[in-house]
Amino acid sequence: MQLSRGNAVFIPVFALGAALLHIHVKFQRNDWVVSRPPPKHKVSLTTMMTTQNITAKTNEKNMTNSTEVGKRSSQSDDEHIYLGSSGNISKPINRNKLISNVICKPHLNVAFMKVHKCGSTTVSNVIYRFGYEHKLIVALPPTRDRPIIGSFGTIKDSDYKHPPGGKRWNIFAHHAMYNRTRFYQLMAPDTRYVTILREPLRRLESAFKYFHLQRRFPGLEKQTRHGTPPVVTYLSRPGYWDPRYRQPKRISDKEHFCFRNCMARDLGLKEKDYDNRTAVQEFVQGIEKEFTTVMILEYLSESLVLLKRRMCWTFHDILYTYGRSSRKQRYKRKAHVTSTMKNRFYNRNYADVMLYTRFKESLQRQIKEGGTDFRQEVMHFKRVNKDVGRYCHAKKKKRPEKIVVSKSKWSDAFSVDRPFCGRYGKSRKYWHPRLQSAYH
């Protein structure tokens, strides 16, 4: 078929117009992606992986051996050592970098709800340090010796130190029973809520050890055989011992001492609803909606890496170490708990069991969805955290001025020095006077 002269001219012009239209639409789509606001609450693990993992996949193998301690630097006069290697990381393309910068902006407003005997003090120290290093307003009680802000979910104006100019808190990491309405009044509007849970039976053992709960049950110590942990005596007949519990006199002790559905209680479940399964299910669903991240103590490193991804933090922000109290709470005598004891305890602690099971399964599912990259990031973080801990716990005379953790595909490079080690793993009382600077 022959084309006329007019048609011959029309076709190239039409093709050029279509190409220009395609380019215009492409740029519009890119502009929409770049200008898209960050998510307010829950962010899928897949999304965070896409925005953060912007380096070439061909370099994954280079990161598996990335914590070589003791390599001296020849580029600086300061005495320090390097942790990790650069791994020949390829540079990200500009579009991904721009998208990452817009979507993955560090989130600064966090409310960490401590749950008794779930490793919450270890995590709260991480949160305190984050607030200190970013000069944020951290919730503080009137005096440094108060471990709780408020009482049984009620926070009065006299229960906390007021920020200047009517400002709201950026960070909360104290003990306080969760009261959604009150916290929404006190925290910044875009606050993300975080907490941590622990296997209920292990949590009870820790509470018995730390709070000496056997003293609150008259007759329990006498019925405990020599060489047997008191918690075993309690678990043999929890239905018998629960009504015999003797409340402490101090209000703060009443909130600290707990033996039944304690995790659910700290997160706001009323005692009258302990045996109401419908109310418990609604309560757990509420936590799912309102909390961005629920960590699990048995998966602490994985939980912290997930928190890092959702908050767009760095490895430096989630470094952790166990405090002295955590190391002292292990039983010297192993508690022999039978399956019958466990079932009895679980039946009387339905709310805690459901809460823990739901979020443990959720975390395991997210780890699986994260795939190889997430597992490699956790392994890398564990090595970095271990090396930083070894450096900070070494004798001062043998410790160099600082160490440098090299850049990886998951986090920027950073250094750790002696002043950092002075803050590393400190208790709540240490942070109180230092965090007050944001109040002036």
Side-chain angles (χ1 to χ4, degrees), residues 15-33:
L16 177 61
L20 291 174
L21 179 61
H22 175 75
I23 294 173
H24 175 69
V25 172
K26 184 177 181 181
F27 274 110
Q28 279 190 326
R29 288 175 179 173
N30 286 341
D31 289 342
W32 177 83
V33 173

Side-chain angles (χ1 to χ4, degrees), residues 4-5 22 93 155 178 189 197 214 217 312 322 351 396 408:
S4 65
R5 186 174 181 180
H22 175 75
I93 59 177
I155 301 178
Y178 178 58
L197 304 174
Q214 64 272 14
F217 297 94
C312 194
Y322 292 105
K396 293 182 179 180
S408 70

Side-chain angles (χ1 to χ4, degrees), residues 1 47 89 116 130 137 154 242 267-268 275 296 303 329 354 364 387:
M1 180 178 67
T47 301
I89 299 299
H116 286 86
F130 181 85
I137 296 178
T154 300
D242 286 352
L267 294 178
D275 297 317
I296 300 295
S303 296
Q329 289 172 39
M354 182 177 180
Q364 291 174 330
D387 291 334

Side-chain angles (χ1 to χ4, degrees), residues 38-45 47-48 191-193 284-294 310 359 362 365-366:
K40 293 182 179 180
H41 292 291
K42 291 188 177 182
V43 183
S44 68
L45 189 61
T47 301
M48 297 309 296
T191 295
R192 294 180 182 176
Y193 290 81
V284 174
Q285 291 172 357
I287 298 299
E288 285 181 316
K289 293 178 181 178
E290 296 167 19
F291 281 69
T292 300
T293 306
V294 176
R310 288 184 171 168
F359 287 104
S362 176
R365 183 172 60 252
Q366 292 171 79

Side-chain angles (χ1 to χ4, degrees), residues 53-116:
N53 301 332
I54 54 180
T55 53
K57 291 185 178 180
T58 55
N59 295 306
E60 288 184 359
K61 294 182 179 180
N62 293 329
M63 303 311 303
T64 57
N65 298 317
S66 56
T67 50
E68 300 172 3
V69 181
K71 184 177 180 181
R72 295 288 177 177
S73 170
S74 59
Q75 300 178 354
S76 173
D77 295 333
D78 296 333
E79 182 188 8
H80 62 276
I81 60 177
Y82 277 86
L83 297 180
S85 60
S86 60
N88 298 322
I89 299 299
S90 60
K91 294 182 179 180
I93 59 177
N94 291 334
R95 186 174 66 86
N96 282 341
K97 185 175 181 180
L98 182 58
I99 293 175
S100 178
N101 287 341
V102 173
I103 295 179
C104 193
K105 183 179 179 180
H107 196 85
L108 303 180
N109 300 320
V110 181
F112 174 66
M113 306 307 303
K114 296 185 67 175
V115 177
H116 286 86

Side-chain angles (χ1 to χ4, degrees), residues 184-206:
Y184 279 25
Q185 294 171 347
L186 296 169
M187 297 297 303
D190 62 341
T191 295
R192 294 180 182 176
Y193 290 81
V194 179
T195 191
I196 187 169
L197 304 174
R198 184 180 190 177
E199 195 281 319
L201 197 54
R202 301 284 83 80
R203 196 219 69 84
L204 179 74
E205 290 181 19
S206 179

Side-chain angles (χ1 to χ4, degrees), residues 348-362:
R348 293 191 61 80
N349 289 267
Y350 171 78
D352 269 8
V353 172
M354 182 177 180
L355 185 71
Y356 175 78
T357 302
R358 178 75 62 87
F359 287 104
K360 178 185 176 182
E361 291 176 350
S362 176

Side-chain angles (χ1 to χ4, degrees), residues 128 304-306 344 373 437:
Y128 285 140
L304 286 170
V305 169
L306 181 62
R344 287 173 180 169
D373 183 79
S437 59

